[in-house]
Amino acid sequence: MSRFLLTTLGSLGDLHPYIAVAASLIDRGHQAVLAVAGEYREAVEGAGIEFAPVRPGFAELGDYRSLVAKSFDVRRGPEFLIRELVMPHLRTAYADLWTASEGADLLVSHPLTYALPVVAEKRGLPWAATILSPMSFFSCYDPPTIPSLLWLDHLRSFRPWLYRPVFGLAKLLIRHWERPVRELRRELYLPPLRRLAMFEGQFSPLVNLALFDQLLAPPQPDWPQPLTVCGTPLFEGPPAADDVLDDLAEFLAAGEAPLVFALGSSAVWLAEDFWPEAIAAAAELGRRAVLITGTEQLGPLPEGVRAFSYLPYSKIFPAAAAIVHQAGIGTLAQALRAGRPQLIVPVAFDQPDNARRAAGLGLARILPFREVTGARLVAELQSLLADRQYRDNSREIAGQLAAARGADCAAEALIGVARSV
């Protein structure tokens, strides 16, 4: 029996894949510890997984809605995330992970947990890297859509030679963001990194696990090796209350399939103006609608519209006429498995890239979040619903993914590495 320490940083979309993998490790007779922010203790322990706290907690960072708004700023968001939210807490994260890693046989990182490889190196422990979305590879052969550099998408035919200098320049411009990592390594008498932690430095020389569905991005020559594309580890969180599911079932049985609007666990904090536009679009189309609104309270709703603070996507997405969502990688994975056409409203980070890849499968249309109006939603949904090819492609992709077991694949890979080192 091996003991695994997994860590992650971010929203529920960053937490759930690691709960799924940890649970699969436990099912196979191993020990798994999940080291995350204190606010996630209940979710982790509720899934039967040992919890270890890693600072900072969200309460230490300030108002969550403001943090999301700043992080999702197209131009300044990534810098704010790294320089204001991650790097100032690098030493406390290192200390907490050092404690949590006592007795571990293998450590497992998230793309933003820059302290974990440092802990592994200092302790002399093996570590595995995980990659949640194709964008993290920054491949010159299959370059991502970058929200602040959308003009680059028009030059994709010039890959890879164009993207090498572009990515090289980007690394030079943001190298100073990582000064705290270099300082911490120096204090610990570790050799300097030759690669940026935000780019190639996030990958392990031992094993790298891509935790997304391969149909979104086939492996490329410049992806790190060794690498296993596992597929998406699915975990939905706690079940909805019985009365909520009864209300949903009654609504679904009362009429035609609804449009379903969902924005994940982060973009939903930016959605005050989105819901009225969604309601107006549904009315204009003469369609029923389900809105998954998080903490937002909408007040009285028109006939044929229901709002829920939370629903498991597996309960509602397959019942949709079409799914409108932001293309967070976890939300997208559930939408792909639902077999329903999608209108994607990406906001920032990897979402525009995920959206482009889903649209490339012939099952989705794209309307950038900041361009959403009721009229634009109506036009896009009309085109989506009128074209049978979107429905057919959605069903075909869902069939291809029906047997995928991302969490089990990742767990088996980690167990194999632990046995071999």
Side-chain angles (χ1 to χ4, degrees):
M1 179 178 67
S2 298
R3 182 173 176 84
F4 298 87
L5 173 69
L6 302 89
T7 188
T8 181
L9 188 156
S11 68
L12 291 176
D14 297 280
L15 174 69
H16 285 172
Y18 298 88
I19 290 181
V21 174
S24 188
L25 288 167
I26 293 169
D27 287 345
R28 285 160 171 73
H30 297 271
Q31 295 180 346
V33 182
L34 189 47
V36 290
E39 285 85 350
Y40 290 143
R41 176 187 289 272
E42 183 177 354
V44 172
E45 293 182 342
I49 300 164
E50 184 178 342
F51 168 84
V54 176
R55 293 166 289 175
F58 295 128
E60 300 172 58
L61 298 175
D63 176 68
Y64 191 76
R65 187 183 296 271
S66 175
L67 294 176
V68 172
K70 291 179 181 178
S71 297
F72 275 67
D73 181 85
V74 170
R75 296 195 175 276
R76 305 293 295 180
E79 182 175 6
F80 173 78
L81 174 66
I82 301 299
R83 300 189 72 183
E84 302 297 329
L85 300 185
V86 177
M87 291 301 175
H89 304 279
L90 185 68
R91 283 176 173 76
T92 54
Y94 173 86
D96 293 341
L97 289 171
W98 181 271
T99 300
S101 63
E102 183 68 36
D105 298 296
L106 182 68
L107 312 185
V108 182
S109 73
H110 169 278
L112 291 176
T113 55
Y114 304 128
L116 184 126
V118 182
V119 171
E121 189 171 351
K122 189 66 177 176
R123 277 198 181 275
L125 289 172
W127 67 284
T130 58
I131 301 92
L132 294 182
S133 64
M135 184 176 189
S136 290
F137 288 123
F138 277 89
S139 170
C140 293
Y141 293 88
D142 182 16
T145 293
I146 302 172
S148 61
L149 299 173
L150 292 178
W151 56 269
L152 270 177
D153 272 9
H154 300 295
L155 303 175
R156 294 179 62 82
S157 61
F158 295 101
R159 64 187 188 273
W161 65 265
L162 173 66
Y163 281 83
R164 289 196 183 103
V166 169
F167 290 161
L169 177 60
K171 293 172 188 178
L172 286 175
L173 292 175
I174 67 175
R175 186 176 185 275
H176 63 287
W177 296 6
E178 294 192 0
R179 185 175 295 115
V181 176
R182 295 192 293 272
E183 292 173 349
L184 177 61
R185 293 183 62 87
R186 188 163 53 247
E187 293 169 13
L188 296 171
Y189 300 102
L190 294 174
L193 276 180
R194 295 182 178 180
R195 306 177 298 173
L196 290 183
M198 291 180 289
F199 288 88
E200 291 86 354
Q202 70 174 291
F203 304 130
S204 168
L206 188 61
V207 63
N208 300 278
L209 305 179
L211 303 183
F212 57 80
D213 298 310
Q214 183 167 310
L215 56 79
L216 291 174
Q220 300 297 318
D222 54 353
W223 283 15
Q225 296 297 327
L227 180 130
T228 299
V229 181
C230 298
T232 306
L234 298 177
F235 177 81
E236 289 196 282
D242 289 343
D243 60 334
V244 171
L245 293 179
D246 289 344
D247 185 22
L248 175 65
E250 182 179 350
F251 177 74
L252 293 177
E256 67 177 0
L259 303 171
V260 175
F261 296 83
L263 293 175
S265 60
S266 292
V268 72
W269 288 87
L270 310 176
E272 297 98 326
D273 298 329
F274 177 81
W275 305 119
E277 302 290 359
I279 293 169
E284 177 68 22
L285 291 166
R287 292 274 182 169
R288 301 183 337 136
V290 170
L291 317 177
I292 306 175
T293 63
T295 60
E296 195 74 22
Q297 301 298 313
L298 300 183
L301 296 171
E303 183 70 23
V305 177
R306 290 287 190 279
F308 298 86
S309 60
Y310 166 75
L311 285 174
Y313 288 158
S314 64
K315 299 293 185 183
I316 183 59
F317 280 4
I323 306 165
V324 183
H325 67 92
Q326 87 293 2
I329 196 68
T331 304
L332 176 58
Q334 292 282 5
L336 291 174
R337 286 158 173 77
R340 297 294 182 266
Q342 304 169 38
L343 174 59
I344 302 180
V345 290
V347 186
F349 293 114
D350 62 333
Q351 294 171 8
D353 187 58
N354 297 337
R356 175 181 60 82
R357 295 173 187 277
L361 297 173
L363 50 75
R365 296 178 66 86
I366 301 172
L367 173 61
F369 183 79
R370 290 170 179 83
E371 299 177 17
V372 166
T373 64
R376 294 290 303 277
L377 284 172
V378 167
E380 291 295 335
L381 285 167
Q382 282 179 329
S383 297
L384 187 73
L385 294 167
D387 190 339
R388 185 178 181 84
Q389 196 64 48
Y390 289 114
R391 297 194 296 276
D392 292 344
N393 291 340
S394 299
R395 295 190 187 102
E396 181 180 349
I397 293 299
Q400 292 177 23
L401 293 174
R405 298 292 181 270
D408 294 340
C409 175
E412 292 289 354
L414 293 172
I415 292 167
V417 172
R419 288 172 176 164
S420 67
V421 294

